[in-house]
Coordinates of all heavy atoms in Angstrom, one line a residue:
M230 N 143.1 125.9 92.0 CA 142.2 125.1 92.7 C 140.9 125.9 93.0 O 141.0 127.0 93.6 CB 142.8 124.5 93.9 CG 141.9 123.6 94.6 SD 142.8 122.6 95.8 CE 141.6 122.3 97.0
E231 N 139.8 125.4 92.8 CA 138.5 126.2 92.9 C 138.1 125.9 94.4 O 138.2 124.9 95.0 CB 137.5 125.5 92.0 CG 136.2 126.2 92.1 CD 135.2 125.6 91.2 OE1 135.5 125.2 90.0 OE2 134.0 125.6 91.5
R232 N 137.8 127.0 95.0 CA 137.4 127.0 96.4 C 135.7 126.8 96.5 O 135.1 127.5 95.7 CB 137.7 128.4 97.1 CG 139.2 128.5 97.2 CD 139.5 129.7 98.0 NE 139.1 129.4 99.4 CZ 139.6 129.9 100.4 NH1 140.4 131.0 100.3 NH2 139.2 129.6 101.6
L233 N 135.3 126.1 97.3 CA 133.9 125.8 97.6 C 133.3 126.9 98.5 O 133.8 127.3 99.4 CB 133.6 124.5 98.2 CG 134.0 123.2 97.3 CD1 133.7 122.0 98.2 CD2 133.2 123.2 96.1
T234 N 132.2 127.4 98.1 CA 131.4 128.4 98.9 C 130.7 127.6 100.0 O 130.7 126.3 100.0 CB 130.3 129.2 98.1 OG1 129.4 128.2 97.7 CG2 131.0 129.9 97.0
V235 N 130.2 128.3 101.1 CA 129.6 127.7 102.1 C 128.4 126.9 101.6 O 128.0 125.8 102.0 CB 129.1 128.8 103.1 CG1 128.2 128.0 104.2 CG2 130.3 129.4 103.7
T236 N 127.6 127.4 100.6 CA 126.5 126.8 100.1 C 126.9 125.5 99.3 O 126.3 124.5 99.5 CB 125.7 127.7 99.1 OG1 125.4 128.8 99.8 CG2 124.5 127.0 98.5
D237 N 128.0 125.6 98.5 CA 128.5 124.4 97.8 C 128.9 123.3 98.8 O 128.6 122.2 98.6 CB 129.7 124.8 96.9 CG 129.2 125.6 95.8 OD1 128.1 125.6 95.3 OD2 130.2 126.4 95.2
K238 N 129.6 123.7 99.9 CA 130.1 122.8 100.9 C 128.9 122.1 101.5 O 128.9 120.9 101.7 CB 130.9 123.5 101.9 CG 131.6 122.5 102.8 CD 132.4 123.2 103.9 CE 133.0 122.2 104.9 NZ 133.7 122.9 106.0
Q239 N 127.8 122.9 101.9 CA 126.7 122.3 102.5 C 125.9 121.2 101.5 O 125.6 120.2 101.9 CB 125.6 123.4 102.9 CG 124.4 122.9 103.6 CD 124.7 122.2 104.9 OE1 125.5 122.7 105.7 NE2 124.1 121.1 105.2
H240 N 125.9 121.7 100.2 CA 125.3 120.9 99.3 C 126.1 119.5 99.1 O 125.5 118.4 99.0 CB 125.3 121.6 97.9 CG 124.7 120.8 96.8 ND1 123.3 120.5 96.7 CD2 125.3 120.1 95.7 CE1 123.1 119.7 95.7 NE2 124.3 119.5 95.0
Q241 N 127.3 119.5 99.1 CA 128.2 118.4 99.1 C 128.0 117.5 100.3 O 127.9 116.3 100.1 CB 129.7 118.7 99.0 CG 130.1 119.3 97.5 CD 129.7 118.4 96.4 OE1 130.0 117.3 96.4 NE2 129.1 119.1 95.4
E242 N 127.9 118.1 101.5 CA 127.6 117.3 102.7 C 126.3 116.7 102.6 O 126.1 115.5 103.1 CB 127.8 118.3 103.9 CG 129.2 118.7 104.2 CD 129.2 119.7 105.2 OE1 128.2 120.2 105.9 OE2 130.4 120.2 105.6
D243 N 125.2 117.4 102.1 CA 124.0 116.8 102.0 C 124.0 115.7 101.1 O 123.3 114.5 101.3 CB 122.9 117.8 101.4 CG 122.6 118.9 102.4 OD1 122.8 118.8 103.7 OD2 122.1 120.0 102.1
L244 N 124.7 115.8 99.9 CA 124.8 114.7 99.0 C 125.4 113.4 99.6 O 125.0 112.3 99.4 CB 125.5 115.0 97.7 CG 124.8 116.0 96.8 CD1 125.7 116.5 95.6 CD2 123.6 115.4 96.2
Q245 N 126.4 113.6 100.4 CA 127.1 112.5 101.1 C 126.1 111.9 102.0 O 126.1 110.7 102.1 CB 128.4 113.0 101.9 CG 129.2 111.9 102.5 CD 129.6 110.9 101.4 OE1 130.0 111.1 100.4 NE2 129.6 109.7 101.9
R246 N 125.4 112.6 102.8 CA 124.4 112.1 103.7 C 123.3 111.2 102.9 O 123.0 110.1 103.3 CB 123.7 113.1 104.6 CG 124.5 113.5 105.7 CD 123.6 114.4 106.7 NE 123.3 115.7 106.1 CZ 124.2 116.8 106.2 NH1 125.3 116.7 106.6 NH2 123.7 117.8 105.6
L247 N 122.8 111.7 101.8 CA 122.0 111.0 101.0 C 122.6 109.7 100.5 O 121.9 108.6 100.3 CB 121.5 111.8 99.8 CG 120.5 112.9 100.1 CD1 120.3 113.9 99.0 CD2 119.2 112.3 100.6
R248 N 123.9 109.7 100.1 CA 124.5 108.5 99.6 C 124.5 107.4 100.6 O 124.5 106.2 100.3 CB 125.9 108.8 99.0 CG 126.0 109.5 97.7 CD 127.4 109.7 97.3 NE 127.5 110.6 96.3 CZ 127.8 112.0 96.5 NH1 128.3 112.4 97.6 NH2 127.8 112.7 95.5
L249 N 124.5 107.7 102.0 CA 124.6 106.8 103.0 C 123.2 106.2 103.3 O 123.1 105.2 104.0 CB 125.2 107.4 104.2 CG 126.6 107.9 104.1 CD1 127.0 108.7 105.4 CD2 127.5 106.7 103.8
L250 N 122.1 106.9 102.9 CA 120.8 106.3 103.2 C 120.4 105.1 102.3 O 120.8 105.0 101.1 CB 119.8 107.4 102.9 CG 119.7 108.6 104.0 CD1 118.7 109.6 103.5 CD2 119.3 108.0 105.3
R251 N 119.7 104.3 102.9 CA 119.1 103.1 102.0 C 117.6 103.2 102.1 O 117.0 103.8 103.0 CB 119.5 101.8 102.7 CG 121.0 101.6 102.8 CD 121.4 100.3 103.6 NE 120.8 100.5 104.9 CZ 120.5 99.6 105.8 NH1 120.4 98.4 105.4 NH2 120.0 99.8 107.0
L252 N 116.9 102.8 101.2 CA 115.4 102.9 101.0 C 114.7 102.3 102.4 O 113.8 102.8 102.8 CB 114.9 102.2 99.9 CG 113.4 102.3 99.6 CD1 113.0 103.7 99.4 CD2 113.0 101.5 98.4
I253 N 115.4 101.3 103.0 CA 114.8 100.8 104.1 C 115.0 101.5 105.4 O 114.4 101.3 106.4 CB 115.3 99.3 104.3 CG1 114.3 98.4 105.2 CG2 116.7 99.2 104.8 CD1 113.1 98.1 104.6
D254 N 115.9 102.5 105.4 CA 116.1 103.4 106.5 C 114.8 104.1 107.0 O 114.1 104.7 106.1 CB 117.2 104.3 106.3 CG 118.6 103.8 106.2 OD1 118.8 102.7 106.8 OD2 119.5 104.4 105.5
D255 N 114.6 104.1 108.2 CA 113.3 104.6 108.8 C 113.1 106.1 108.4 O 112.0 106.5 107.9 CB 113.3 104.4 110.3 CG 111.8 104.4 110.9 OD1 111.0 103.8 110.2 OD2 111.7 104.8 112.0
D256 N 114.2 106.8 108.6 CA 113.9 108.3 108.3 C 113.6 108.6 106.8 O 112.8 109.4 106.5 CB 115.2 109.1 108.6 CG 115.4 109.2 110.2 OD1 114.4 109.1 110.8 OD2 116.6 109.3 110.6
F257 N 114.3 107.8 105.9 CA 114.0 107.9 104.5 C 112.7 107.5 104.1 O 112.0 108.1 103.4 CB 115.1 107.1 103.7 CG 115.0 107.3 102.3 CD1 115.4 108.6 101.7 CD2 114.6 106.3 101.4 CE1 115.4 108.7 100.3 CE2 114.6 106.4 100.0 CZ 114.9 107.7 99.5
M258 N 112.2 106.3 104.7 CA 111.0 105.9 104.4 C 109.8 106.8 104.9 O 108.9 107.0 104.2 CB 110.7 104.5 105.1 CG 111.6 103.3 104.5 SD 111.0 102.9 102.9 CE 110.0 101.5 103.2
R259 N 110.0 107.3 106.1 CA 109.0 108.3 106.5 C 108.9 109.5 105.6 O 107.9 109.9 105.3 CB 109.4 108.8 108.0 CG 109.2 107.9 109.0 CD 109.5 108.4 110.3 NE 109.4 107.4 111.4 CZ 109.7 107.6 112.6 NH1 110.3 108.8 113.0 NH2 109.6 106.7 113.5
S260 N 110.0 110.0 105.1 CA 110.0 111.1 104.2 C 109.3 110.7 102.8 O 108.5 111.4 102.3 CB 111.3 111.7 104.0 OG 111.8 112.2 105.1
L261 N 109.7 109.6 102.4 CA 109.2 109.1 101.0 C 107.7 108.9 101.1 O 107.0 109.3 100.1 CB 109.9 107.8 100.7 CG 109.7 107.2 99.4 CD1 110.2 108.1 98.3 CD2 110.3 105.8 99.2
F262 N 107.2 108.3 102.1 CA 105.8 107.9 102.1 C 104.9 108.9 102.7 O 103.7 108.7 102.6 CB 105.6 106.5 102.9 CG 106.1 105.3 102.0 CD1 107.3 104.8 102.1 CD2 105.2 104.7 101.0 CE1 107.8 103.7 101.5 CE2 105.6 103.7 100.3 CZ 106.9 103.2 100.5
K263 N 105.4 109.9 103.4 CA 104.6 110.9 104.1 C 103.7 111.6 103.2 O 104.1 112.1 102.1 CB 105.5 111.9 104.7 CG 104.7 112.9 105.5 CD 105.5 113.9 106.3 CE 104.7 115.0 106.9 NZ 105.2 115.6 108.0
D264 N 102.4 111.6 103.5 CA 101.3 112.2 102.6 C 101.3 111.7 101.2 O 100.9 112.4 100.3 CB 101.5 113.7 102.6 CG 101.5 114.3 104.0 OD1 100.7 113.8 104.8 OD2 102.2 115.3 104.3
N265 N 101.8 110.4 101.0 CA 101.7 109.9 99.6 C 101.0 108.5 99.7 O 101.6 107.5 99.6 CB 103.3 109.6 99.2 CG 103.2 109.4 97.6 OD1 102.3 109.0 97.0 ND2 104.4 109.6 97.1
I266 N 99.7 108.6 99.8 CA 98.8 107.4 99.9 C 98.9 106.6 98.6 O 99.1 105.3 98.7 CB 97.4 107.8 100.2 CG1 97.3 108.3 101.6 CG2 96.4 106.6 100.0 CD1 95.9 108.7 102.0
P267 N 98.9 107.1 97.4 CA 99.1 106.3 96.3 C 100.4 105.4 96.2 O 100.3 104.2 95.9 CB 99.2 107.3 95.0 CG 98.4 108.4 95.6 CD 98.7 108.5 97.0
L268 N 101.5 105.9 96.7 CA 102.8 105.2 96.8 C 102.6 104.1 97.8 O 103.0 102.9 97.5 CB 103.9 106.1 97.1 CG 105.2 105.4 97.2 CD1 105.6 104.6 95.9 CD2 106.4 106.3 97.6
A269 N 102.1 104.4 99.0 CA 101.9 103.5 100.1 C 101.0 102.3 99.6 O 101.3 101.1 99.8 CB 101.3 104.1 101.3
E270 N 99.9 102.7 98.9 CA 99.0 101.7 98.5 C 99.7 100.7 97.4 O 99.5 99.6 97.5 CB 97.8 102.4 97.9 CG 96.7 101.6 97.4 CD 95.4 102.4 97.1 OE1 95.4 102.8 95.9 OE2 94.6 102.6 97.9
F271 N 100.4 101.3 96.5 CA 101.2 100.6 95.4 C 102.0 99.6 96.1 O 102.1 98.4 95.8 CB 101.9 101.5 94.6 CG 102.7 100.8 93.5 CD1 102.2 100.2 92.4 CD2 104.1 100.7 93.7 CE1 103.0 99.6 91.5 CE2 104.9 100.2 92.8 CZ 104.3 99.5 91.6
V272 N 102.9 100.0 97.0 CA 103.9 99.1 97.7 C 103.2 98.0 98.5 O 103.5 96.8 98.4 CB 104.9 99.9 98.5 CG1 105.7 99.0 99.4 CG2 105.7 100.8 97.7
L273 N 102.2 98.4 99.2 CA 101.4 97.4 100.1 C 100.6 96.4 99.4 O 100.5 95.2 99.8 CB 100.6 98.2 101.2 CG 101.4 98.9 102.3 CD1 100.4 99.7 103.1 CD2 102.1 97.9 103.1
R274 N 100.2 96.9 98.2 CA 99.4 95.9 97.2 C 100.5 94.7 96.8 O 100.1 93.6 96.8 CB 98.9 96.6 96.0 CG 97.6 97.3 96.3 CD 97.0 98.0 95.1 NE 95.8 98.7 95.4 CZ 95.1 99.4 94.6 NH1 95.6 99.6 93.4 NH2 94.0 99.9 94.9
I275 N 101.7 95.2 96.6 CA 102.7 94.2 96.2 C 103.1 93.3 97.3 O 103.1 92.0 97.1 CB 104.0 94.9 95.7 CG1 103.6 95.6 94.3 CG2 105.1 94.0 95.4 CD1 104.7 96.6 93.8
I276 N 103.3 93.9 98.4 CA 103.8 93.1 99.6 C 102.8 92.2 100.2 O 103.1 91.0 100.4 CB 104.3 94.1 100.8 CG1 105.5 94.9 100.4 CG2 104.4 93.3 102.1 CD1 105.8 95.9 101.3
T277 N 101.5 92.6 100.1 CA 100.4 91.8 100.8 C 99.8 90.8 99.7 O 99.0 89.9 100.0 CB 99.4 92.6 101.3 OG1 98.7 93.5 100.3 CG2 99.8 93.5 102.4
D278 N 100.2 91.0 98.3 CA 99.6 90.3 97.2 C 98.0 90.5 97.3 O 97.3 89.6 97.0 CB 99.9 88.9 97.3 CG 99.6 88.1 96.0 OD1 99.7 88.8 94.9 OD2 99.4 86.9 96.0
K279 N 97.6 91.8 97.6 CA 96.2 92.2 97.5 C 96.0 93.2 96.5 O 96.1 94.4 97.0 CB 95.7 92.5 98.9 CG 95.6 91.4 99.9 CD 95.1 91.8 101.1 CE 94.8 90.7 102.1 NZ 93.7 89.9 101.8
P280 N 95.7 93.0 95.3 CA 95.6 94.1 94.3 C 94.4 95.0 94.6 O 94.3 96.0 94.0 CB 95.5 93.3 93.0 CG 95.1 91.9 93.3 CD 95.6 91.6 94.7
D281 N 93.5 94.5 95.4 CA 92.2 95.3 95.6 C 92.4 96.1 97.0 O 91.4 96.8 97.4 CB 91.1 94.4 95.7 CG 91.1 93.4 96.8 OD1 92.2 93.1 97.3 OD2 90.1 92.8 97.2
L282 N 93.6 96.2 97.5 CA 93.7 96.9 98.8 C 93.6 98.4 98.6 O 94.2 99.0 97.6 CB 95.2 96.6 99.4 CG 95.5 97.3 100.7 CD1 94.7 96.8 101.8 CD2 97.0 97.1 101.0
I283 N 92.9 99.0 99.5 CA 92.7 100.5 99.3 C 93.1 101.0 100.6 O 92.6 100.7 101.7 CB 91.2 100.8 99.0 CG1 90.8 100.2 97.8 CG2 91.0 102.3 99.1 CD1 89.2 100.3 97.5
I284 N 94.1 101.9 100.6 CA 94.6 102.7 101.9 C 93.6 103.8 102.0 O 93.4 104.6 101.2 CB 96.1 103.1 101.6 CG1 97.0 101.9 101.4 CG2 96.5 103.9 102.9 CD1 97.0 100.9 102.4
T285 N 93.1 103.8 103.3 CA 92.1 104.8 103.7 C 92.8 105.9 104.5 O 92.3 107.0 104.7 CB 90.9 104.2 104.5 OG1 91.4 103.5 105.6 CG2 90.1 103.3 103.6
D286 N 93.9 105.6 105.2 CA 94.6 106.5 106.0 C 96.1 106.2 106.0 O 96.5 105.0 106.2 CB 94.0 106.6 107.4 CG 94.6 107.6 108.3 OD1 95.0 108.7 107.7 OD2 94.7 107.4 109.5
C287 N 97.0 107.3 105.9 CA 98.4 107.0 106.0 C 99.1 108.0 106.7 O 99.0 109.2 106.4 CB 98.9 106.9 104.5 SG 100.6 106.4 104.3
E288 N 99.6 107.6 107.9 CA 100.3 108.4 108.8 C 101.5 107.7 109.3 O 101.3 106.7 110.0 CB 99.2 108.9 109.9 CG 99.9 109.9 110.9 CD 98.9 110.2 112.0 OE1 97.6 110.1 111.8 OE2 99.3 110.5 113.1
T289 N 102.6 108.3 109.3 CA 103.8 107.5 109.8 C 103.8 107.5 111.3 O 103.5 108.5 112.0 CB 105.1 108.3 109.4 OG1 105.1 109.6 109.8 CG2 105.3 108.2 107.8
Q290 N 104.0 106.3 111.8 CA 104.1 106.0 113.2 C 102.9 106.4 114.0 O 103.0 107.0 115.1 CB 105.4 106.5 113.7 CG 106.6 106.1 113.0 CD 106.9 104.6 113.2 OE1 106.8 104.1 114.2 NE2 107.2 104.0 112.1
K291 N 101.6 106.1 113.6 CA 100.5 106.4 114.3 C 100.2 105.4 115.4 O 100.0 104.2 115.0 CB 99.3 106.5 113.4 CG 98.0 106.8 114.1 CD 96.8 106.9 113.1 CE 95.5 107.3 113.9 NZ 94.4 107.5 113.0
D292 N 100.1 105.8 116.7 CA 99.9 104.9 117.7 C 98.4 104.7 117.8 O 97.6 105.7 117.9 CB 100.5 105.4 119.0 CG 102.0 105.3 119.1 OD1 102.6 104.3 118.6 OD2 102.6 106.3 119.6
M293 N 98.0 103.4 118.0 CA 96.5 103.0 118.3 C 96.5 102.3 119.6 O 96.9 101.2 119.6 CB 96.1 102.2 117.1 CG 95.9 102.9 115.8 SD 95.1 102.0 114.5 CE 93.4 102.2 115.1
K294 N 96.1 103.1 120.7 CA 96.2 102.5 122.0 C 95.0 101.6 122.1 O 93.8 101.9 121.7 CB 96.1 103.5 122.9 CG 97.4 104.5 122.9 CD 98.7 103.8 123.3 CE 99.8 104.7 123.2 NZ 101.1 104.2 123.2
R295 N 95.1 100.4 122.8 CA 94.0 99.5 123.0 C 93.7 99.5 124.5 O 94.5 99.7 125.3 CB 94.3 98.1 122.6 CG 94.7 98.0 121.1 CD 93.6 98.1 120.3 NE 92.6 97.1 120.5 CZ 92.2 96.2 119.7 NH1 92.8 96.0 118.6 NH2 91.3 95.4 120.0
L296 N 92.4 99.2 124.9 CA 92.0 99.1 126.3 C 91.9 97.7 126.7 O 92.0 96.7 125.9 CB 90.6 99.8 126.3 CG 90.5 101.2 125.9 CD1 89.1 101.7 126.0 CD2 91.4 102.1 126.8
A297 N 91.7 97.5 128.0 CA 91.5 96.2 128.6 C 92.6 95.2 128.4 O 92.3 94.1 128.1 CB 90.0 95.7 128.1
G298 N 93.8 95.6 128.4 CA 95.0 94.8 128.4 C 95.4 94.3 127.0 O 96.3 93.5 126.9
A299 N 94.7 94.6 125.9 CA 95.0 94.3 124.6 C 96.3 95.0 124.3 O 96.6 96.0 124.7 CB 93.8 94.5 123.6
R300 N 97.1 94.5 123.3 CA 98.3 95.2 122.9 C 98.0 96.4 122.0 O 97.1 96.3 121.2 CB 99.2 94.2 122.1 CG 99.5 93.0 122.9 CD 100.5 92.1 122.2 NE 101.8 92.7 122.4 CZ 102.9 92.0 122.0 NH1 102.7 90.9 121.2 NH2 104.1 92.5 122.2
S301 N 98.8 97.5 122.2 CA 98.7 98.5 121.3 C 99.6 98.3 120.0 O 100.4 97.4 120.1 CB 99.2 99.8 122.0 OG 98.4 100.1 123.1
I302 N 99.2 99.0 119.0 CA 100.0 98.9 117.7 C 100.4 100.2 117.3 O 99.9 101.2 117.5 CB 99.2 98.1 116.6 CG1 97.9 98.8 116.3 CG2 98.9 96.6 117.1 CD1 97.1 98.2 115.2
C303 N 101.4 100.2 116.3 CA 101.9 101.4 115.7 C 101.8 101.2 114.3 O 102.5 100.3 113.6 CB 103.4 101.7 116.1 SG 104.0 103.2 115.5
L304 N 100.8 102.0 113.6 CA 100.5 101.7 112.1 C 101.2 102.8 111.3 O 101.4 104.0 111.8 CB 99.1 101.7 111.9 CG 98.2 100.7 112.5 CD1 96.7 100.9 112.2 CD2 98.6 99.3 111.9
D305 N 101.5 102.5 110.1 CA 101.8 103.5 109.1 C 100.7 103.7 108.1 O 100.6 104.8 107.6 CB 103.1 103.1 108.4 CG 104.4 103.1 109.3 OD1 104.5 104.1 110.1 OD2 105.2 102.2 109.3
A306 N 99.9 102.6 107.8 CA 98.8 102.8 106.9 C 97.6 101.9 107.5 O 97.9 100.9 108.1 CB 99.3 102.3 105.6
Y307 N 96.5 102.4 107.0 CA 95.3 101.6 107.4 C 94.5 101.5 106.1 O 94.3 102.4 105.4 CB 94.5 102.5 108.3 CG 93.3 101.7 108.9 CD1 93.3 100.8 109.9 CD2 92.0 102.1 108.4 CE1 92.1 100.2 110.3 CE2 90.9 101.5 108.8 CZ 90.9 100.5 109.8 OH 89.8 99.9 110.3
G308 N 94.0 100.2 105.9 CA 93.2 100.0 104.6 C 92.3 98.9 104.7 O 92.2 98.2 105.7
I309 N 91.5 98.7 103.6 CA 90.5 97.7 103.5 C 90.7 97.1 102.2 O 91.2 97.8 101.2 CB 89.1 98.2 103.8 CG1 88.7 99.4 102.8 CG2 88.9 98.7 105.2 CD1 87.3 99.7 102.8
D310 N 90.2 95.9 101.9 CA 90.1 95.3 100.7 C 88.6 95.3 100.2 O 87.8 95.8 100.9 CB 90.7 93.9 100.6 CG 90.0 92.9 101.5 OD1 88.9 93.2 102.0 OD2 90.5 91.8 101.8
L311 N 88.3 94.7 99.1 CA 87.0 94.8 98.4 C 85.9 94.1 99.2 O 84.8 94.5 99.2 CB 87.0 94.3 97.0 CG 87.7 95.2 96.0 CD1 87.7 94.6 94.6 CD2 87.1 96.6 95.9
I312 N 86.4 93.1 100.1 CA 85.3 92.5 100.9 C 85.2 93.2 102.2 O 84.5 92.6 103.1 CB 85.6 91.0 101.0 CG1 87.0 90.7 101.7 CG2 85.5 90.2 99.6 CD1 87.2 89.2 102.0
G313 N 85.9 94.2 102.5 CA 85.7 95.0 103.8 C 86.8 94.5 104.8 O 86.6 95.0 105.9
K314 N 87.6 93.5 104.5 CA 88.7 93.1 105.5 C 89.7 94.2 105.7 O 90.2 94.8 104.8 CB 89.3 91.9 104.9 CG 90.2 91.3 106.0 CD 90.8 89.9 105.6 CE 91.7 89.3 106.6 NZ 92.3 88.1 106.2
K315 N 89.8 94.5 107.0 CA 90.8 95.6 107.4 C 92.2 95.2 107.6 O 92.4 94.1 107.9 CB 90.3 96.3 108.7 CG 88.8 96.8 108.6 CD 88.4 97.5 110.0 CE 87.0 97.9 109.8 NZ 86.5 98.5 111.0

């Protein structure tokens, strides 16, 4: 019987953790989309049905605090379409 080295054992444990992740899991999504504006733009164009959507900024979980009682929001991407709608 073949013995696993520490590195092999760690690799197997990492693979098992990856098998448990789903694309919709927050940690996985953050890693997948981090610093990948073209991917975020592609997915958001499909979801919003706006083929002209241009992502101008992409930062996972960016808080935008509002003043005067308005609600704050937490964005992952900020973009505009061809007519300038944000």
Side-chain angles (χ1 to χ4, degrees):
M230 183 168 150
E231 185 178 324
R232 294 189 71 164
L233 292 177
T234 66
V235 174
T236 304
D237 290 335
K238 185 177 178 185
Q239 182 65 46
H240 181 69
Q241 291 301 318
E242 291 171 0
D243 290 343
L244 287 175
Q245 183 59 33
R246 278 191 292 276
L247 284 172
R248 284 185 195 101
L249 296 174
L250 289 175
R251 299 170 300 143
L252 184 57
I253 199 69
D254 288 332
D255 206 33
D256 292 334
F257 186 68
M258 291 291 264
R259 285 181 185 175
S260 295
L261 183 67
F262 286 98
K263 183 179 176 156
D264 301 324
N265 195 340
I266 289 177
L268 178 60
E270 190 172 83
F271 175 74
V272 171
L273 289 172
R274 283 177 176 180
I275 293 169
I276 291 171
T277 63
D278 196 29
K279 290 186 175 281
D281 60 342
L282 182 67
I283 298 168
I284 300 301
T285 57
D286 186 30
C287 191
E288 180 181 333
T289 58
Q290 305 294 315
K291 179 178 181 177
D292 289 318
M293 295 185 75
K294 302 292 181 191
R295 301 290 302 251
L296 301 175
R300 296 183 90 171
S301 296
I302 59 174
C303 184
L304 296 176
D305 291 317
Y307 182 81
I309 59 173
D310 61 18
L311 287 179
I312 60 171
K314 187 174 180 182
K315 298 177 182 181

